[in-house]
Amino acid sequence: MARTVILSAAGGPENLEVVDRPVGEPGPGEVRIAHRACGLNFIDIYQRTGLYPMQLPHPLGMEAAGVVEAVGDGVTHLKPGDRAAYAANPPGAYAEARVMPAAQVCPLPDEIAFDQAAAMMLKGMTVEYLFHRTTPLTAGDTVLFHAAAGGVGLIACQWARSEGITLIGTAGTDEKCRLALDHGASHCINYRDAGWVAKVRELTGGKGVDVVMDAVGADTFEGSLDSLKPLGMLISFGNASGPVPPFNIGILGQKGSLKVTRPTLFTHIADHDACQAMAGHLFDKVVKGAVEIRIDQRFPLEQVADAHRALEARQTTGSTVLEL
């Protein structure tokens, strides 16, 4: 049996319940992992509220780290006793232990602590695909990154610095802006200032940025388009303020032949080899010290509802973990 967080019905954090649940044995292609820490992400909120529908009741959580207890037939990259971490479907990471598909579970280097790994797998591999698998980015390019003081944002700030990319961040308070700057952002703008688009233009000499990376969604979409240079790309990868409403695609031509894409991490990691390569790239950045994983909030598993409230209210910085 393992303590597991179950979502009983779509809605508020009060619908999250901690129950004892049987774990079972791994079948072919599966692994049983005993967690040491679990990570929180906005996708958990999207699933909890029903924005991303699931068949309910269902366990929640998309990333965790721990020790492999058993492997099923056909699993060759992991063995019992291995340290491991993952970001993967199906949800179920808010638990002491679980059985899950093994393909997206990654061997964890000894140099990386379990809580670090639980805080970085989904966020860090998201940054990896944003910078390396979505559109070509090279040293000297300029990126606008919204929510730069969040879990994904602070990794992105450091990643950009390590790649020689100029990152202009936005954040909701001056304190969060300072945090982004401390982690490698070249500039940071308080997006509650109505003139943030003009500030982006000023910082780029009127040209605009090469790429916008936007996980905020509805509140920033139009300003993100207006921050791009001609032929620039908007990567819309989240909906923290709500989903982007329908828009006239012709506006992309009017604003400079712009490009828009809506990728997800889970498309990128669906292939086992690609997932392992992405995780390896992330691990290398962390082990070499180019990226530091900042954990600013810790909650016991039983306080998962409070953790959701804090994340949803944008009261957090860096990453949040559930401790077991």
Side-chain angles (χ1 to χ4, degrees), residues 4 13 16 77 86 111 113 142 164 169 188 196 199 221 239 244 299 301 317:
T4 303
L16 299 173
H77 70 292
Y86 65 87
E111 297 92 335
T142 300
C188 195
W196 65 264
K199 184 65 174 176
F221 182 76
N239 324 277
V244 174
F299 294 84
L301 188 67
T317 55

Side-chain angles (χ1 to χ4, degrees), residues 10 15 22 83 101-102 113 119 147 151 183 199 203 260 276-277 281 298 321-322:
N15 291 349
R83 304 172 79 252
H183 283 73
K199 184 65 174 176
L203 290 170
V260 175
Q276 300 296 322
H281 194 179
R298 298 173 184 269
V321 296
L322 297 175

Side-chain angles (χ1 to χ4, degrees), residues 4-238:
T4 303
V5 175
I6 300 294
L7 176 66
S8 56
E14 65 278 4
N15 291 349
L16 299 173
E17 182 182 5
V18 181
V19 302
D20 287 324
R21 194 165 181 256
V23 179
E25 296 297 324
E30 292 183 330
V31 61
R32 186 175 75 229
I33 183 168
H35 293 149
R36 297 292 185 267
C38 315
L40 266 72
N41 297 279
F42 258 98
I43 190 173
D44 307 344
I45 291 172
Y46 303 155
Q47 291 169 344
R48 192 205 74 221
T49 61
L51 179 63
Y52 293 179
M54 297 190 302
Q55 186 173 354
L56 300 177
H58 202 289
L60 213 60
M62 305 298 289
E63 68 178 345
V67 177
V68 175
E69 292 188 323
V71 300
D73 291 342
V75 177
T76 59
H77 70 292
L78 295 165
K79 64 183 185 303
D82 281 352
R83 304 172 79 252
Y86 65 87
N89 273 314
Y94 295 177
E96 289 180 310
R98 69 181 295 196
V99 170
M100 63 180 294
Q104 282 70 45
V105 180
C106 305
L108 180 65
D110 291 340
E111 297 92 335
I112 299 176
F114 288 121
D115 59 349
Q116 284 181 296
M120 77 182 193
M121 292 301 291
L122 192 147
K123 304 167 191 69
M125 288 197 293
T126 294
V127 172
E128 203 276 349
Y129 87 69
L130 289 173
F131 279 83
H132 295 276
R133 298 169 189 267
T134 309
T135 191
L137 279 168
T138 58
D141 286 344
T142 300
V143 166
L144 174 63
F145 198 101
H146 291 300
V152 179
L154 291 183
I155 296 173
C157 290
Q158 297 172 84
W159 202 291
R161 179 172 59 189
S162 75
E163 302 276 340
I165 292 167
T166 297
L167 186 144
I168 301 171
T170 71
T173 68
D174 292 344
E175 181 182 13
K176 287 185 175 183
C177 281
R178 286 192 294 271
L179 189 59
L181 292 168
D182 289 344
H183 283 73
S186 302
H187 311 277
C188 195
I189 304 165
N190 188 329
Y191 63 73
R192 300 191 188 282
D193 177 355
W196 65 264
V197 175
K199 184 65 174 176
V200 172
R201 288 285 173 180
E202 178 185 335
L203 290 170
T204 58
K207 296 178 181 178
V209 299
D210 298 287
V211 175
V212 177
M213 300 176 180
D214 188 346
V216 175
D219 288 355
T220 51
F221 182 76
E222 186 174 348
S224 291
L225 292 179
D226 289 337
S227 299
L228 286 165
K229 65 173 54 172
L231 305 177
M233 173 172 278
L234 168 56
I235 307 172
S236 177
F237 69 102

